[in-house]
């Protein structure tokens, strides 16, 4: 049974590895050349024909198609891809041909990281394993002493005439009390649960994370990219002087182009949509949760929150009348300034369609949900009212740490969910950090759990799976212990004086094997649990 659970988990890993093609079509000056996938280097241009799997993580440089990403996101509908779009190795190309520039290869690819996380989680030790180890550390010498005492008591009562039954009883005690079932109670459940989670798009980096998320009672949520789609767009523009709006938008896009923040991407897309020329920026410096500075054509450019501009001596009071009422509709304000003009962009990011259901499911599980965001109070409170949750607005990364620490001091087990660069410290501070699969590398590295489908409903799945796994582990430990409590006296011969029953070593070994089978079978139930 243990072999079967290992085999099934290994099958899941082999299935993931099987999604990666063994060869790729490398585009070279003399034509296309088929090369082994491990020979592909970053920057190489690959051709992906219709119906083929994309060999590596990369960026589309030419062509249009729709890619089936269900193995990664669970999304049933193919995702349109055009030049500039990112693609993931192992996903299935549709009816169009693509030229893809390789950006991540080998062990750093998304598919390789998923496999590595699954293997690490299956081999890790949750805190509850310490209980099993502590019991075994006392149990083993106790059973050895009990076996020896059993043999001596038989000889003391019956003399040498009962030497054979005495030795048989002592050996039966050793066999039936073998702590195999206790040793299997935790790792088999963790192995099966981590495999079941991967099928649901939830990756646990360790057994400890799996156990702790089941104990959580407070969830801290970032807003952008977590509760919202993470693909905001600029819906309002205002500048002082008004005629400078295109120039300041182009300058802002220049310094924001290197940022991975969704609001930065919205500004870049707005500039591109207007056909503006985005000049290269230099001396770009960012502060998480505040803003970014840089130089464009020799001029200093500031982009970020209002306090960020004021900190640098820029007071955008001339734009207050233009922005009046923007935030009432849930729009976030991003300010920009250079040596000649000041502008403000109203950026809207719609809620994820599943956000309401996800928050409701977390509430049903008894979790207190709090949104902590750097957005202005009006737009943040509007989202919080829609979802019926508490909110802390205008929060810097340090503020998120303070909120998490306060709940921890009150004795709560805190889960933090985020997807951005500025969420990294908070994800590390929380008892369990959860990263959206669509987030930045920093967030994914700092997190303990990854929701690969980028859907917040996966958090409720993770909590339910963790709680059921811990329940199964406790059942395994309980029955393993009860089995020994009942089996050891029978093997020692307590029933022999009255009923003439004596357990032979052969039957004791069968009973011991049955206990291990029952523990593994109980753990395998997690494979079919509804989430």
């Amino acid at each position: 049974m243990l072999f079967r659970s290992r085999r099934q988990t290994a099958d899941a890993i082999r299935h993931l590895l099987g999604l990666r093609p063994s060869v790729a079509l490398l585009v070279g000056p003399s034509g296309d050349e088929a090369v082994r996938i491990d020979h592909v280097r970053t920057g190489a241009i690959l051709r992906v024909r219709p119906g083929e799997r994309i060999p590596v993580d990369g960026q589309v440089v030419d062509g249009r198609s729709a890619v089936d990403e269900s193995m990664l996101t669970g999304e049933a509908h193919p995702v349109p891809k055009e030049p500039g779009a990112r693609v993931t190795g192992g996903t299935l190309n549709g009816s169009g041909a693509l030229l893809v520039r390789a950006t991540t290869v080998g062990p750093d690819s998304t598919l390789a990281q998923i496999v590595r996380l699954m293997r690490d989680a299956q081999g890790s030790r949750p805190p509850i394993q310490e209980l099993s180890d502590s019991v075994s550390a006392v149990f083993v010498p106790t059973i050895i002493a009990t076996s020896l005492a059993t043999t001596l008591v038989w000889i003391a009562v019956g003399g040498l005439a009962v030497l054979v039954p005495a030795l048989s009883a002592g050996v039966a005690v050793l066999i039936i009390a073998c702590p195999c079932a206790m040793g299997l109670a935790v790792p088999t459940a963790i192995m099966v649960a981590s495999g079941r989670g991967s099928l649901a798009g939830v990756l646990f980096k360790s057994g400890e994370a799996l156990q702790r998320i089941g104990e959580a009672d407070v969830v801290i949520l970032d807003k952008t990219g977590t509760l919202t789609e993470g693909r905001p767009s600029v819906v309002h523009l205002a500048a002082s002087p008004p005629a400078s709006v295109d120039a300041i938008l182009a300058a802002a896009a220049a310094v924001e182009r290197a940022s991975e923040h969704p609001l930065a991407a919205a500004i870049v897309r707005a500039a591109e949509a207007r056909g503006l020329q985005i000049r290269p920026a230099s001396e770009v410096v960012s502060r998480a949760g505040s803003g970014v500075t840089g130089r464009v054509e020799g001029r200093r450019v500031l982009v970020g929150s209002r306090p960020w501009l004021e900190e640098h001596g820029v007071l955008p009071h001339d734009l207050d009348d233009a922005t009046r009422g923007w935030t009432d509709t849930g729009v976030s304000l991003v300010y920009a300034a250079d040596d000649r003009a000041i502008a403000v962009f109203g950026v809207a990011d719609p809620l994820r369609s599943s956000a309401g259901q996800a928050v409701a499911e977390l509430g049903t599980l008894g979790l207190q949900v709090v949104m902590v965001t750097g957005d202005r109070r009006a737009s943040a409170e509007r989202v919080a009212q829609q979802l019926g949750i508490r909110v802390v607005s205008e929060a810097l990364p340090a503020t998120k740490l303070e909120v998490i620490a306060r709940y921890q001091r009150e004795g709560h087990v805190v889960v933090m969910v985020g997807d951005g660069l500025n969420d990294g410290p908070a994800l590390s501070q929380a008892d369990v950090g959860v990263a959206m699969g669509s987030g930045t590398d920093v967030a994914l590295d700092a997190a303990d759990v990854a929701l690969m489908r980028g859907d917040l409903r996966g958090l409720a799945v993770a909590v339910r799976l963790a709680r059921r796994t811990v329940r199964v582990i406790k059942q395994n430990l309980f029955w393993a212990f009860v089995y020994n409590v009942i089996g050891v006296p029978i093997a020692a011969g307590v029933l022999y004086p009255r009923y003439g029953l004596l357990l032979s070593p052969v039957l004791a070994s069968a009973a011991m094997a049955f206990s291990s089978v029952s523990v593994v079978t109980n753990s395998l139930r997690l494979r079919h649990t509804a989430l």
Side-chain angles (χ1 to χ4, degrees), residues 29-389:
S30 57
D32 297 346
E33 178 186 0
V35 298
R36 289 177 55 84
I37 193 70
D38 50 1
H39 291 166
V40 176
R41 297 292 178 261
T42 301
I45 303 298
L46 307 176
R47 188 182 306 279
V48 184
R49 293 172 295 200
E52 293 182 338
R53 290 198 177 272
I54 295 171
V56 297
D57 295 354
Q59 187 174 30
V60 177
V61 295
D62 189 34
R64 283 173 170 78
S65 185
V67 175
D68 181 357
E69 298 182 338
S70 57
M71 73 91 179
L72 182 67
T73 66
E75 174 59 52
H77 301 289
V79 180
K81 299 294 181 180
E82 57 186 21
R86 294 190 176 276
V87 290
T88 304
T91 55
L92 184 63
N93 186 28
S95 57
L98 297 174
L99 288 183
V100 175
R101 177 183 291 109
T103 58
T104 309
V105 298
D108 295 326
S109 67
T110 301
L111 198 60
Q113 291 182 36
I114 292 174
V115 172
R116 184 165 61 250
L117 288 176
M118 288 181 63
R119 285 173 171 161
D120 290 347
Q122 289 158 8
S124 63
R125 295 162 55 86
I128 199 171
Q129 177 72 57
E130 302 300 325
L131 172 61
S132 176
D133 292 346
S134 298
V135 171
S136 296
V138 176
F139 181 77
V140 171
T142 300
I143 289 301
I144 293 175
T146 301
S147 173
L148 181 60
T150 297
T151 301
L152 295 176
V153 168
W154 271 77
I155 293 174
V157 172
L160 295 177
V162 294
L163 180 60
V164 173
L167 292 174
S168 177
V171 172
V173 168
L174 284 176
I175 293 174
I176 203 169
C178 176
C180 295
M182 288 188 180
L184 294 171
V186 178
T188 53
I190 295 297
M191 183 185 301
V192 176
S194 59
R196 178 67 180 91
S198 68
L199 294 176
V202 179
L203 294 181
F204 299 98
K205 291 188 178 181
S206 67
E208 180 179 3
L210 193 154
Q211 179 179 341
R212 290 293 280 170
I213 200 171
E215 299 168 350
D217 56 354
V218 173
V219 175
I220 306 294
L221 300 175
D222 181 41
K223 173 176 169 282
T224 304
T226 302
L227 287 169
T228 61
E229 293 288 350
R231 189 176 172 83
S233 58
V234 176
V235 295
H236 298 297
L237 280 164
S240 177
S244 65
V245 66
D246 282 352
I248 191 64
L249 175 59
V255 297
E256 291 281 38
R257 187 155 52 179
S259 174
E260 293 181 305
H261 196 282
L263 297 184
I267 293 173
V268 174
R269 286 195 297 271
E272 292 174 342
R274 287 178 170 239
L276 303 178
Q277 184 176 9
I278 302 176
R279 304 283 186 183
S282 61
E283 301 178 25
V284 177
V285 178
S286 66
R287 182 197 295 172
S290 297
V292 60
T293 66
R295 288 195 172 275
V296 180
E297 296 184 318
R299 301 197 310 273
R300 183 185 71 159
V301 178
L302 304 168
V303 185
S305 64
R306 186 185 184 108
W308 176 249
L309 263 67
E310 293 175 345
E311 181 181 325
H312 287 80
V314 180
L315 305 178
H317 298 305
D318 294 344
L319 297 171
D320 288 347
D321 289 339
T323 60
R324 187 169 290 115
W326 286 11
T327 55
D328 293 340
T329 59
V331 172
S332 299
L333 302 183
V334 179
Y335 290 85
D338 63 7
D339 296 338
R340 302 173 185 172
I342 304 173
V344 60
F345 313 120
V347 183
D349 187 10
L351 276 176
R352 291 180 182 269
S353 58
S354 60
Q357 181 183 348
V359 170
E361 289 182 8
L362 294 174
T364 302
L365 292 170
L367 296 167
Q368 179 183 350
V369 182
V370 183
M371 182 177 72
V372 182
T373 177
D375 282 3
R376 291 169 60 96
R377 181 183 300 275
S379 59
E381 288 184 348
R382 180 175 178 272
V383 172
Q385 289 172 0
Q386 286 181 267
L387 298 174
I389 59 178

